[in-house]
Amino acid sequence: MDAEAELARISANLLNSDYMPTFRRQRIAREVVRAATAHGLVKNGAVQWELALDFFRSAPYIRLLARVNLTTERTAGFREVLVGARVPRHPLQCIALLKSLHGTWNAVEQNFSLPDVGDDLHPAQRHEAESAPHTSPRRRWIEKHRARWFPHYQGMYREFRRANPKLTHSQLLRLMPDNARYFISRESLAAAGEHIASARGPKNVIGETG
């Protein structure tokens, strides 16, 4: 589908309150940061400008980004977008940016279809899972939900790997919702016959200098 035609379709879908109800400004900001970090565009809260500029200048959707008037150059405003301090004003800009960072809109939909980190955990279980990763409550919770969530995250991993062939295994996991790490690993994906992304990442990225 033509990029602009898909943009129009997505915009129309978003008018339906039942479509992607989590598509809200705070969630958009978190997903942009998650994806930018996975690509190495943001590190420790700082934009890696050389890598970021190269990424957006070579992005398949560079014309789409220009079409919605989203500036992807080294500006204070775009820095705030990449680090999650602000969200693009127009929904079309949000759509184009998220699609560029995730590779496909289907990948974006998958991320937004899931609850935010820990939303499907009881508060006590979430605390135990995060503070004591080897305790039995966490293991019990994972085993209880494995049949439901492993196939989902496996499919998401496959989608993201195809859409982002240059990303390493670790970068793909960072692109996915945080709960994914409870259910998929290099070993479990390999056991399920999944093709695993390379473990070798980019050598270095240039830090933000002002």
Side-chain angles (χ1 to χ4, degrees), residues 95-183:
I95 294 169
L97 178 60
L98 287 165
K99 184 175 178 180
S100 295
L101 287 169
H102 288 79
T104 67
W105 187 252
N106 185 49
V108 177
E109 287 181 324
Q110 290 192 53
N111 256 8
F112 277 84
S113 71
L114 296 171
D116 247 341
V117 179
D119 281 357
D120 55 352
L121 278 170
H122 184 278
Q125 291 178 313
R126 179 167 63 249
H127 174 74
E128 292 164 352
E130 293 176 350
S131 63
H134 299 295
T135 58
S136 58
R138 180 190 178 191
R139 289 199 299 270
R140 288 198 299 269
W141 178 80
I142 292 173
E143 290 306 317
K144 178 181 178 181
H145 296 280
R146 185 182 301 281
R148 173 188 179 190
W149 288 111
F150 178 81
H152 183 93
Y153 287 124
Q154 179 188 9
M156 181 179 287
Y157 181 90
R158 185 184 307 123
E159 174 78 23
F160 280 22
R161 177 177 55 78
R162 290 173 176 170
N164 304 277
K166 294 182 180 180
L167 293 189
T168 67
H169 175 73
S170 295
Q171 287 174 317
L172 287 173
L173 290 183
R174 287 197 294 271
L175 190 61
M176 297 171 66
D178 287 357
N179 275 351
R181 72 182 186 275
Y182 294 129
F183 299 99

Side-chain angles (χ1 to χ4, degrees), residues 77-95:
F78 191 48
R79 182 193 67 78
E80 290 180 345
V81 168
L82 291 179
V83 301
R86 63 184 293 263
V87 172
R89 181 174 301 177
H90 200 286
L92 292 179
Q93 295 176 326
C94 294
I95 294 169

Side-chain angles (χ1 to χ4, degrees), residues 9-24 105 109 112-114:
R9 177 187 65 80
I10 296 167
S11 300
N13 286 342
L14 287 172
L15 295 176
N16 182 344
S17 60
D18 293 329
Y19 176 74
M20 290 179 67
T22 57
F23 196 76
R24 299 289 184 267
W105 187 252
E109 287 181 324
F112 277 84
S113 71
L114 296 171

